[in-house]
Amino acid sequence: MWYETSLTKILNIRLPIIQAGMAGGPTTPELVATVSNQGGLGTLGAGYMTPEDMRKAIHNIRLLTDQPFAVNLFIPETVKLEEQKVLEMRHTLQPFYDELGIEQPKLPTEWGGQFQQQMEVIIEEKVPVFSFTFGTLDHHWIEKLKVNGTIVIGTATTVKEAKLLEEIKVDAIVAQGSEAGGHRGTFACQAEDAMIGTMALVPQMVDAVNVPVIAAGGIMDGRGLIACLSLGASGVQMGTVFLPAIESGANPLYKKSLMEATEEETTVTIKFSGKAARGLKNAYIERLSDVPNVQVPDYPIQNALTQPLRKEAANQRKGEWLSMWAGQGLRLAQSESAEQIIQRVMGQASQTVQKLKNIEKD
Amino acid sequence: MWYETSLTKILNIRLPIIQAGMAGGPTTPELVATVSNQGGLGTLGAGYMTPEDMRKAIHNIRLLTDQPFAVNLFIPETVKLEEQKVLEMRHTLQPFYDELGIEQPKLPTEWGGQFQQQMEVIIEEKVPVFSFTFGTLDHHWIEKLKVNGTIVIGTATTVKEAKLLEEIKVDAIVAQGSEAGGHRGTFACQAEDAMIGTMALVPQMVDAVNVPVIAAGGIMDGRGLIACLSLGASGVQMGTVFLPAIESGANPLYKKSLMEATEEETTVTIKFSGKAARGLKNAYIERLSDVPNVQVPDYPIQNALTQPLRKEAANQRKGEWLSMWAGQGLRLAQSESAEQIIQRVMGQASQTVQKLKNIEKD
């Protein structure tokens, strides 16, 4: 069984399911390759990876699958270092570092330089699909990608952003609804003005652009897949559902927390990275909220300030200090292999279409 | 053509579409009756109506249709009057009242007493369907409604709230997603913890309760209807789509603003009524946001303090001071009659199911 949509055609895949490029560890080559082998599109979340690690991971994916896969990167922004804010945040974070018994990190002297090298890996490796978030992509990269035959997917959280992406000639656009876990892809307005639910966002975006729209946010099973195809999407991007997968590299504490959480237990916070992202509420977020007038430096500065804290918290099994990105569909998360997830989603999808056929009467 | 779901069966209607019980004027007897005559379920939004006006409106609806219709009421809460807050808010609102040239209102000495009388009208008039929001309903009312054969529909914004409503034996539950316009129905947690997108909320609620779930929030056309049926809902409740309808009693300025707005232009605010509600951003909300440390009295106190202001602003055609409740699907709003809306939605729904049949291949 396979599905035919404008997305499956351009990606040359059998099922309109993209596994989201979740940065920071979950997207192992095993997860990416399994999703692609099952007929979907696996994505390496390479936002935080060094060019060398990216290249290794891409080679490993290619050892495991001959099917199309994607690599996802973050578009860098101009970094505005406000020294006073950084000093105050270091003061706020010091008790966390003290409890863990480690030193605070030095900040890099240069920001965003890695992106150029990451993009060179994408070009040199001729990856089948390249997806990005946090902005638009410079024309010269788009040209090089097109020469390679790489399919290019951008991320939008509003109709306006989708139109900006269409202008730079992406091949498809992810419509990231407010339910989505992880970082908000918003780049053309304030994040709080772009919290549009998937149900409302997808049809408005579909009406506004001529490229395939990929729905993301709160989609956890075959019911969600068919719902999004109904709205006019040509496919879905699912993240949270793959986090507890056996092949996922997410920390075991993170997987356990996901399986126990409900739809009420996520929040959108800038406190981990300086950029709005949806994750499980926990003690770290609460403690920072208790600091009067706490000012969070912008992304990626705050991310750099908290990164060693989160890494060491994972080592010391302090789940309450980890950034546990998660969408709002949590009660539907299941502990399965990636293959079981895809099979279950497609089985539910078929049942859903069957059910719809019986609802309309003459 | 008609649809058969668990909801259409218990409501004895042909189409799984409920027109939301928007309080404050939009739900004229003409709008309610037209929706019901078309095969959906019209709803009188009677939350702010006097018992006498309710009775008149119910009689007028019955003159226009012999089909089932609903009446919606607000469950009253214990009112905690904080005098200092009220004084400060009166001070904040005084410039608005001065500009309009009217006096601030006296606050009632008693709150919520009207609900008992409103419920007596519901019982005496034996309305076919009773829906409510902002809480659960006392057992003695449920018993009286069931004796009358009235179908009872509650409103939930989380799975936990849906379970509480199932316990008091409602016949169906509206799952109000974060996209929805108007007041949040949240009653078992803070409103900000219950901003769950429709795509995520509906399937989780469907899995958790045994009564029909009605999806609400961001549904504006037949694509949204089929999407929600895919998620397991037995029907949809649509509000914003009916606001610009010819039969709607919404202020012409309000209708015009809706037709011009985009998905980025709503916000959730407590500044009009003291309770979180989604509506168009405007100058009133901005001016109150500019007041340092502004404290908003709880609902329904703030509602009483601003009600004459909004009424007179409408008279003086100051749209920037009106509460213009709206969901996030705004770009899909069209100026049509209620009959055209229903016909369009059902036509799109049929096309959507046809399209889905062609996506799956063997």
Side-chain angles (χ1 to χ4, degrees):
Chain A
M1 194 256 301
W2 55 287
Y3 274 55
E4 189 177 273
T5 72
S6 55
L7 185 75
T8 61
K9 281 192 230 171
I10 61 166
L11 294 179
N12 195 24
I13 57 178
R14 286 183 296 116
L15 304 176
I17 298 176
I18 299 178
Q19 162 253 313
M22 301 167 282
T27 65
T28 62
E30 291 72 24
L31 177 62
V32 175
T34 304
V35 171
S36 289
N37 282 332
Q38 287 296 312
L41 184 80
T43 305
L44 180 70
Y48 299 131
M49 291 173 90
T50 63
E52 301 72 42
D53 287 347
M54 271 178 72
R55 202 183 300 268
K56 267 185 236 162
I58 291 168
H59 289 184
N60 285 334
I61 291 166
R62 286 195 155 125
L63 291 175
L64 298 169
T65 186
D66 58 359
Q67 296 298 306
F69 63 93
V71 180
N72 181 272
L73 288 180
F74 298 153
I75 304 298
E77 344 195 353
T78 315
V79 176
K80 192 180 58 181
L81 196 96
E82 297 168 286
E83 284 195 35
Q84 188 55 35
K85 258 196 192 175
V86 171
L87 279 174
E88 284 174 26
M89 182 49 65
R90 283 196 186 275
H91 180 74
T92 300
L93 294 174
Q94 192 56 46
F96 293 89
Y97 278 99
D98 286 344
E99 282 187 51
L100 293 168
I102 57 166
E103 297 287 308
Q104 292 214 22
K106 287 209 175 76
L107 288 183
T109 50
E110 200 201 2
W111 300 90
Q114 188 172 255
F115 181 71
Q116 169 89 18
Q117 298 165 280
Q118 288 174 322
M119 281 306 296
E120 280 162 12
V121 175
I122 300 284
I123 303 293
E124 286 161 20
E125 293 293 331
K126 292 187 174 17
V127 302
V129 183
F130 171 64
S131 65
F132 62 92
T133 185
F134 300 166
T136 60
L137 187 63
D138 275 352
H139 182 63
H140 75 283
W141 290 123
I142 298 266
E143 281 202 332
K144 284 183 182 161
L145 291 163
K146 302 247 160 164
V147 168
N148 274 355
T150 297
I151 301 293
V152 181
I153 302 176
T155 306
T157 60
T158 64
V159 171
K160 185 181 166 192
E161 289 175 350
K163 287 180 179 169
L164 291 171
L165 290 169
E166 192 179 32
E167 275 174 29
I168 64 156
K169 303 216 186 308
V170 299
D171 298 294
I173 298 169
V174 173
Q176 186 190 34
S178 59
E179 295 93 331
H183 281 99
R184 303 294 306 153
T186 308
F187 62 90
C189 66
Q190 296 298 309
E192 59 265 33
D193 292 328
M195 295 299 291
I196 318 297
T198 304
M199 186 66 69
L201 181 62
V202 171
Q204 294 181 87
M205 201 180 288
V206 165
D207 288 350
V209 296
N210 292 309
V211 294
V213 170
I214 301 152
I219 306 153
M220 295 289 285
D221 61 21
R223 295 174 293 186
L225 167 59
I226 297 302
C228 290
L229 297 180
S230 300
L231 294 175
S234 302
V236 296
Q237 181 166 284
M238 299 166 93
T240 306
V241 77
F242 289 110
L243 283 169
I246 293 153
E247 298 90 341
S248 147
N251 186 291
L253 293 172
Y254 183 6
K255 290 186 180 184
K256 186 164 174 284
S257 296
L258 287 170
M259 295 304 300
E260 291 166 356
T262 74
E263 83 284 6
E264 289 184 48
E265 291 169 52
T266 76
T267 187
V268 176
T269 182
I270 61 166
K271 297 195 173 71
F272 283 111
S273 72
K275 191 188 271 291
R278 184 180 293 284
L280 296 183
K281 294 174 196 166
N282 64 13
Y284 168 86
I285 300 172
E286 260 173 54
R287 269 175 66 170
L288 255 67
S289 300
D290 289 344
V291 179
N293 303 315
V294 68
Q295 299 255 12
V296 179
D298 287 347
Y299 176 91
I301 298 163
Q302 178 73 355
N303 198 60
L305 290 173
T306 67
Q307 198 270 338
L309 186 165
R310 289 180 277 157
K311 195 174 169 187
E312 183 59 23
N315 288 340
Q316 297 189 19
R317 301 184 56 77
K318 279 187 189 292
E320 280 292 300
W321 294 1
L322 299 180
S323 52
M324 296 189 178
W325 306 139
Q328 293 186 316
L330 283 164
R331 289 178 193 259
L332 305 174
Q334 298 194 21
S335 280
E336 295 167 307
S337 68
E339 180 180 339
Q340 285 171 322
I341 291 169
I342 300 267
Q343 295 295 325
R344 174 170 59 78
V345 168
M346 296 316 299
Q348 292 164 323
S350 283
Q351 284 169 25
T352 300
V353 175
Q354 274 305 323
K355 210 190 75 179
L356 289 174
K357 287 179 190 170
N358 295 327
I359 285 177
E360 200 179 334
K361 309 282 179 190
D362 287 318
Chain B
M1 197 254 301
W2 54 287
Y3 275 55
E4 189 176 273
T5 73
S6 56
L7 185 74
T8 60
K9 281 191 231 174
I10 62 167
L11 293 180
N12 196 24
I13 57 179
R14 287 183 299 115
L15 304 177
I17 298 175
I18 299 177
Q19 163 253 314
M22 300 167 284
T27 63
T28 61
E30 290 72 23
L31 177 63
V32 175
T34 305
V35 172
S36 289
N37 283 333
Q38 286 296 312
L41 185 79
T43 305
L44 179 71
Y48 299 131
M49 291 173 88
T50 64
E52 301 70 44
D53 287 346
M54 271 178 71
R55 202 184 298 269
K56 266 185 237 161
I58 291 168
H59 288 185
N60 285 335
I61 292 166
R62 285 195 156 126
L63 291 176
L64 298 169
T65 186
D66 58 0
Q67 296 298 307
F69 64 91
V71 179
N72 181 271
L73 287 180
F74 298 154
I75 304 298
E77 347 196 348
T78 315
V79 176
K80 192 179 58 182
L81 195 98
E82 297 167 285
E83 283 195 35
Q84 188 56 33
K85 261 196 194 175
V86 171
L87 278 175
E88 285 174 26
M89 181 51 63
R90 283 194 184 277
H91 181 73
T92 300
L93 295 174
Q94 192 56 46
F96 293 89
Y97 278 99
D98 286 345
E99 281 187 51
L100 293 168
I102 57 166
E103 297 286 310
Q104 292 216 22
K106 286 211 176 77
L107 288 183
T109 50
E110 198 200 5
W111 299 90
Q114 190 170 255
F115 180 72
Q116 168 89 21
Q117 297 164 280
Q118 288 174 321
M119 281 306 296
E120 280 162 14
V121 175
I122 299 285
I123 303 293
E124 286 162 20
E125 293 293 331
K126 292 187 172 23
V127 301
V129 183
F130 171 65
S131 65
F132 61 92
T133 186
F134 302 165
T136 60
L137 187 64
D138 276 353
H139 182 64
H140 76 281
W141 291 123
I142 297 267
E143 280 202 334
K144 283 183 184 161
L145 290 164
K146 301 247 160 168
V147 168
N148 273 357
T150 297
I151 301 294
V152 181
I153 303 176
T155 306
T157 61
T158 64
V159 171
K160 185 181 165 191
E161 289 176 350
K163 287 180 179 170
L164 290 171
L165 290 170
E166 191 178 32
E167 273 174 30
I168 64 157
K169 302 215 187 310
V170 298
D171 297 295
I173 299 169
V174 172
Q176 187 192 34
S178 59
E179 294 93 330
H183 281 99
R184 304 293 306 152
T186 308
F187 62 90
C189 65
Q190 296 298 308
E192 59 265 34
D193 292 328
M195 294 300 290
I196 319 297
T198 304
M199 186 65 69
L201 182 62
V202 171
Q204 295 182 85
M205 201 180 286
V206 166
D207 289 349
V209 297
N210 292 309
V211 294
V213 169
I214 301 151
I219 307 152
M220 295 289 286
D221 61 21
R223 296 175 292 185
L225 167 59
I226 297 301
C228 291
L229 297 180
S230 300
L231 294 174
S234 302
V236 296
Q237 181 166 285
M238 300 166 94
T240 307
V241 77
F242 288 109
L243 282 170
I246 293 154
E247 298 89 341
S248 147
N251 186 293
L253 294 172
Y254 183 6
K255 290 186 181 184
K256 187 164 175 284
S257 297
L258 287 170
M259 294 304 298
E260 291 166 357
T262 74
E263 83 285 5
E264 290 184 46
E265 292 169 53
T266 76
T267 188
V268 176
T269 183
I270 62 168
K271 296 194 172 75
F272 283 111
S273 71
K275 190 187 273 288
R278 187 181 290 285
L280 296 183
K281 294 173 196 168
N282 64 13
Y284 168 87
I285 299 173
E286 260 172 54
R287 269 174 67 168
L288 256 66
S289 301
D290 289 343
V291 179
N293 304 314
V294 66
Q295 299 254 14
V296 179
D298 288 348
Y299 177 90
I301 297 162
Q302 177 72 354
N303 197 60
L305 289 173
T306 66
Q307 199 269 339
L309 186 165
R310 290 180 276 157
K311 196 174 170 189
E312 183 60 22
N315 287 342
Q316 297 189 20
R317 300 184 56 78
K318 279 188 191 288
E320 280 292 301
W321 295 1
L322 298 180
S323 52
M324 298 191 178
W325 306 138
Q328 293 187 317
L330 283 165
R331 289 180 193 258
L332 305 174
Q334 298 193 20
S335 279
E336 296 167 307
S337 69
E339 180 180 338
Q340 285 170 322
I341 292 170
I342 301 265
Q343 296 294 326
R344 175 171 58 81
V345 168
M346 295 318 298
Q348 293 163 323
S350 282
Q351 284 168 24
T352 301
V353 174
Q354 273 306 323
K355 211 190 74 179
L356 289 174
K357 286 179 189 169
N358 294 326
I359 286 177
E360 200 178 334
K361 309 282 178 188
D362 287 319

